[in-house]
Amino acid sequence: MAALALAGLTAAASWSPAAASTAEYGKVTAFIQTGSTVMFYTSGTRSTAPSCQGADVPARWAIDVSTPAGQSMLSILLTAYSTQRTVKILGTGTCSVQGDTETVFLLATDGV
């Protein structure tokens, strides 16, 4: 049975389910860091992104690592990247952390 790791259950007010997108299980392929923002790319198939998502970065997501939730998500992402595990992402439907990149609401890893 697959084990599930979740992070990022932030305030429900920051989640816009009608605009939120999802990326199916895929590998984390790259990271970019600027200040307290970490952006990352995944290879998972993504549903329709919110209108704020840049057309040139369709596989990119953002987290705020100045928060405990963001630090937890970064830890899970780095572990998944280094062990070649896949992750599934649920966005907030907003680009509140990085203006052209959907903010992560929740992420899950695959299990063994």
Side-chain angles (χ1 to χ4, degrees), residues 95-106:
C95 298
S96 59
V97 173
Q98 177 70 24
D100 65 348
T101 306
E102 187 173 7
T103 303
V104 174
F105 177 70
L106 179 144

Side-chain angles (χ1 to χ4, degrees):
M1 181 180 274
L4 188 63
L6 301 175
L9 294 178
T10 57
S14 66
W15 186 46
S16 177
S21 67
T22 302
E24 292 304 320
Y25 284 102
K27 291 187 177 179
V28 178
T29 60
F31 291 92
I32 300 170
Q33 179 271 329
T34 179
S36 62
T37 299
V38 171
M39 293 166 282
F40 64 96
Y41 293 80
T42 66
S43 64
T45 302
R46 187 176 189 164
S47 64
T48 302
S51 60
C52 60
Q53 184 76 29
D56 58 333
V57 289
R60 190 166 78 181
W61 300 87
I63 56 175
D64 178 357
V65 296
S66 70
T67 68
Q71 292 165 11
S72 294
M73 285 189 266
L74 180 59
S75 176
I76 291 169
L77 289 166
L78 290 170
T79 300
Y81 180 78
S82 66
T83 59
Q84 296 295 297
R85 303 298 285 272
T86 60
V87 295
K88 182 173 183 171
I89 310 294
L90 174 61
T92 62
T94 67
C95 298
S96 59
V97 173
Q98 177 70 24
D100 65 348
T101 306
E102 187 173 7
T103 303
V104 174
F105 177 70
L106 179 144
L107 63 88
T109 62
D110 67 343
V112 175

